[in-house]
Amino acid sequence: MSTGVDYRLIDSTLRDGSHAISHQYYADDVVAIVRGLDAAGVQVIEIAHGDGLGGSSFNYGFSAVPEKELIARACDAATNAKIACLMLPGIGLADDLREVNELGVQVARIAVHCTEADITEQHIKVAKSLGMEAIGFLMMAHMNSPEGLVEQARLLQSYGADTIYIADSAGAMTTTDVRRRVNALVQALDVPVGVHAHNNLSMAVANSIAAYEEGATNLDGTSAGLGAGAGNCPTEILAAVSTKYGITTGVDPLALMDLAEEIVRPLMPRAQVIDRAGLILGYAGVYGSFLLHAERAAERYNVPVAEILLELGQRQVVGGQEDMIIDVALELATQHAARETTP
Amino acid sequence: MRCVILGSGNIGTDLMMKLHKGTDASGSGATPLELVALVGIDPASDGLARARRLGFEASHEGPGWILDHADEVDLVFDATSAYVHKAHAQEYADAGIVAVDLTPAAIGPKVIAAVNLTEHVGAPNVNMVTCGGQATTPMVYAVCRAVDSLPYAEMVSTVSSRSAGPGTRQNIDEFTKTTSTALREIGGADTSKAIIILNPAEPPIMMRNTVFAGLPEGTDHAAVLDSIHQMEAEVQAYVPGYRLKNRPVIETGPYSTPGGVVPHRAVILLEVEGAGDYLPPYAGNLDIMTAAAQRIGEAIAHHSAAQKAGAQA
């Protein structure tokens, strides 16, 4: 962590924010956002396809511009901030880490469902061998207990992870849920802990502050909350609230507000609000990035988006199973058709 | 044909149970494969205990046992790991033992049972790609045979956490790379991508596979859908639990794939339920490997018998 700050801020506008614009970032957007974050004092800037390196696909949506072109531009545009990439083993490859390291990426976030940490060993070790900081990133952390997360985090630590995050990928946790998990991790681990919050239950900022109070020293945000589902913890609000609490962040809230208002909001196809579908994600514990895919399937097969999301929650699908959205939509359409033909 | 199964874990034991039935992979005749032994390295393994109970030779001496008994063995099904297979593949070949490689070692040519079953029957070593490859390459091929060109194909495989063994977990990149290659080399796509997801839900989910295929302008959609349904039946001939979970659909884009912009995509939603021979039915990912291995072994046996008959005539 940089000296003189109470927690390190990692901004994921250019990675998690990518979901909200269906992975349609262009080079000019990337340069403007990196410059804005860098000037505001953000220490780490994450960039990749929303589903991590190699995520461009039918299943998750194709990137408008190849991510490595955008990553190269981000590395060039940053003066003080480190550039980070996220990758999910099973979607991206260790080779992707080697390529982005060549471009200047210094931080690798290796993301995995919160019960499957043992698939990251190869990738964490590759990141370390390249001299990168390796962050283990346990997704959908609401689906595992504090004790279960400790067990998984210890595996990540044993592979060489420098920092360990839990991600509330479904925006499904209360502050109590976050406190119990962070507390257990901080007690059990030798490495720093971080939290990545989503806002589906309108808890993202409160959960981030609670995580800090329990000992987390890394927090994630995105500018204007741009991100999967109802969005992420908004970086500029987190910075402002932190200042009010007397927490030293090293970032300038006013500069982040300017970035959110003048650069990021104009890019947004719609306001990042908690509408019914967004709230259901948090309520049913469904992976946030399913939202836009589910809306598209709902329209295509003429079934309610809320029903799709609730059924996905019932099935306990995990991040990456976007194909199941089509599966569920087709089944619901069949059921609806059967009901309509029954007198 | 006299065969040995190397590896007394889940896969090897399930294959033993299949061969023990005595019927061939399609269930319609007698298998030409005569199981000589199940060979592992752990004397206490459940697989070896079962082998003994069924009256098969059960050895814990590993590859060495096979080489010591080379005169009694014509074919080895290797269900160990890529590392072990690579270390001994040449020795099997030197001993005149054909190897059906169920590991991701990928030394020999790739065989997908429903697509190129007999293409490499004379090869000393054939590789079975991955479970996801056995499940999805047939559908990529099914689309490919109904179109002029297939610019891009993608597969997403979701398996229950419980059925993903340590080999897969330690080298997940090998799974995606090998599978992706098979979608091109055997499926016929110009470009490809493979994704694997592990799902820890309880009770465990059945193996799910989704194939997306980019359809170029001018594609006869009805022909694509017919070919997909036909392929379902072709795979079911040896994996009865292989099925289209929902009707295949053609969705409208456009989609900017790595193989170029296409106006439509086919979405093929598959489920594989295992036969439950040794592993529970949810482990369709392991069942499709053992079912395909049996079918490939039988194709090699028929070829070998035909060669011998030809030589004698």
Side-chain angles (χ1 to χ4, degrees):
Chain A
M1 200 189 344
S2 314
T3 49
V5 300
D6 292 327
Y7 68 81
R8 178 173 70 167
L9 183 60
I10 299 185
D11 183 276
S12 187
T13 311
L14 292 169
R15 200 278 301 169
D16 214 342
S18 177
H19 287 294
I21 60 165
S22 300
H23 318 290
Q24 305 297 298
Y25 273 125
Y26 291 89
D28 292 347
D29 309 326
V30 167
V31 170
I33 292 170
V34 168
R35 285 190 181 143
L37 292 167
D38 199 25
V42 171
Q43 294 101 325
V44 180
I45 299 170
E46 182 174 73
I47 175 168
H49 183 280
D51 290 84
L53 296 171
S56 182
S57 58
F58 271 132
N59 205 29
Y60 310 123
F62 291 107
S63 301
V65 178
E67 63 187 344
K68 279 157 197 160
E69 285 179 38
L70 299 180
I71 291 165
R73 295 296 297 271
C75 290
D76 289 345
T79 50
N80 295 313
K82 289 181 183 173
I83 300 298
C85 282
L86 179 128
M87 70 96 55
L88 280 73
I91 297 175
L93 299 169
D95 293 341
D96 291 318
L97 294 176
R98 295 185 182 98
E99 281 181 48
V100 299
N101 182 245
E102 290 273 308
L103 299 174
V105 172
Q106 294 173 274
V107 182
R109 297 219 288 187
I110 312 299
V112 65
H113 185 74
C114 61
T115 56
E116 311 298 318
D118 62 353
I119 65 169
T120 66
E121 181 174 5
Q122 182 186 17
H123 307 86
I124 289 177
K125 286 183 172 165
V126 165
K128 293 308 297 173
S129 74
L130 294 166
M132 300 169 91
E133 178 185 349
I135 299 180
F137 195 86
L138 294 168
M139 300 187 294
M140 298 285 273
H142 74 284
M143 291 177 84
N144 204 345
S145 64
E147 301 72 31
L149 289 171
V150 164
E151 198 179 299
Q152 296 289 309
R154 282 199 173 121
L155 286 175
L156 298 172
Q157 185 174 270
S158 75
Y159 306 147
D162 299 294
T163 296
I164 289 163
Y165 258 76
I166 53 169
D168 184 13
S169 316
M173 286 204 268
T174 63
T175 49
T176 309
D177 296 331
V178 171
R179 282 185 191 280
R180 290 179 55 222
R181 286 166 174 77
V182 172
N183 184 278
L185 291 169
V186 169
Q187 299 298 324
L189 300 177
D190 301 324
V191 298
V193 172
V195 166
H196 172 100
H198 276 273
N199 208 34
N200 303 333
L201 296 177
S202 196
M203 301 298 286
V205 175
N207 283 348
S208 299
I209 297 293
Y212 167 76
E213 288 174 347
E214 295 296 333
T217 51
N218 292 264
L219 294 176
D220 276 18
T222 67
S223 187
L226 189 72
N232 291 54
C233 180
T235 308
E236 66 283 0
I237 302 180
L238 180 62
V241 171
S242 295
T243 305
K244 301 273 280 183
Y245 269 98
I247 303 166
T248 307
T249 61
V251 300
D252 176 359
L254 291 169
L256 289 173
M257 290 180 216
D258 290 345
L259 172 69
E261 198 69 23
E262 289 160 25
I263 307 288
V264 176
R265 282 192 205 284
L267 288 175
M268 292 163 69
R270 59 180 183 183
Q272 195 79 59
V273 296
I274 308 172
D275 57 12
R276 178 177 54 191
L279 177 55
I280 283 177
L281 293 169
Y283 187 61
V286 176
Y287 197 61
S289 51
F290 285 9
L291 181 63
L292 297 185
H293 299 282
E295 287 180 353
R296 266 177 235 128
E299 192 180 338
R300 179 170 277 139
Y301 297 108
N302 195 27
V303 289
V305 66
E307 281 189 34
I308 296 177
L309 295 173
L310 287 169
E311 173 62 19
L312 290 165
Q314 285 286 322
R315 289 193 188 184
Q316 300 179 63
V317 295
V318 301
Q321 288 189 269
E322 270 79 344
D323 52 326
M324 287 302 105
I325 295 167
I326 303 171
D327 193 64
V328 166
L330 283 169
E331 271 173 30
L332 290 172
T334 306
Q335 288 168 18
H336 282 254
R339 247 177 264 154
E340 275 161 28
T341 54
T342 310
Chain B
M1 195 171 207
R2 299 166 303 175
C3 64
V4 166
I5 298 168
L6 178 61
S8 61
N10 286 337
I11 295 246
T13 308
D14 192 73
L15 180 56
M16 174 180 73
M17 301 307 286
K18 283 184 165 54
L19 295 181
H20 174 62
K21 291 180 190 170
T23 48
D24 67 10
S26 65
S28 58
T31 180
L33 297 171
E34 177 203 340
L35 183 62
V36 174
L38 177 67
V39 178
I41 50 169
D42 175 6
S45 72
D46 181 55
L48 292 183
R50 268 174 195 257
R52 280 182 217 107
R53 283 206 297 277
L54 294 173
F56 294 117
E57 174 84 34
S59 163
H60 63 270
E61 291 167 29
W65 188 94
I66 296 172
L67 296 165
D68 289 346
H69 295 75
D71 292 346
E72 300 156 38
V73 178
D74 305 309
L75 183 149
V76 57
F77 290 103
D78 192 341
T80 57
S81 68
Y83 178 79
V84 173
H85 186 71
K86 280 177 188 163
H88 298 284
Q90 190 58 48
E91 293 165 6
Y92 306 140
D94 292 345
I97 301 170
V98 177
V100 175
D101 172 21
L102 285 79
T103 80
I107 293 171
K110 295 180 174 63
V111 179
I112 298 293
V115 181
N116 64 337
L117 179 66
T118 57
E119 190 182 351
H120 302 292
V121 283
N125 186 315
V126 295
N127 177 262
M128 292 192 48
V129 192
T130 60
C131 57
Q134 290 293 337
T136 59
T137 311
M139 284 300 170
V140 172
Y141 179 77
V143 174
C144 197
R145 69 187 174 185
V147 297
D148 295 332
S149 72
L150 180 52
Y152 175 71
E154 180 178 312
M155 65 82 77
V156 185
S157 198
T158 306
V159 302
S160 68
S161 298
R162 284 220 225 160
S163 66
T168 304
R169 288 172 174 276
Q170 278 159 23
N171 199 347
I172 207 156
D173 283 15
E174 211 159 45
F175 176 99
T176 50
K177 284 189 199 172
T178 306
T179 308
S180 182
T181 305
L183 300 187
R184 297 191 304 276
E185 289 182 358
I186 303 171
D190 297 337
T191 60
S192 62
K193 180 169 179 68
I195 294 167
I196 180 170
I197 310 286
L198 304 182
N199 180 309
E202 291 291 340
I205 59 155
M206 282 194 203
M207 183 198 201
R208 294 298 310 259
N209 293 281
T210 300
V211 175
F212 295 98
L215 303 178
E217 203 73 62
T219 298
D220 178 349
H221 292 173
V224 168
L225 295 172
D226 282 350
S227 181
I228 291 167
H229 283 291
Q230 202 180 316
M231 182 55 82
E232 180 190 27
E234 289 166 39
V235 179
Q236 280 173 349
Y238 62 98
V239 187
Y242 183 90
R243 57 186 165 244
L244 291 162
K245 188 71 170 48
N246 273 295
R247 65 188 165 89
V249 289
I250 310 279
E251 295 189 337
T252 302
Y255 303 96
S256 301
T257 80
V261 178
V262 295
H264 299 98
R265 68 180 184 185
V267 186
I268 307 164
L269 298 153
L270 300 159
E271 181 175 80
V272 187
E273 178 178 1
D277 291 317
Y278 174 63
L279 300 158
Y282 65 76
N285 50 323
L286 306 182
D287 189 74
I288 197 168
M289 278 302 261
T290 54
Q294 181 181 359
R295 191 165 173 89
I296 291 165
E298 287 167 356
I300 292 168
H302 288 307
H303 171 77
S304 166
Q307 293 283 96
K308 278 182 193 149
Q312 281 162 3

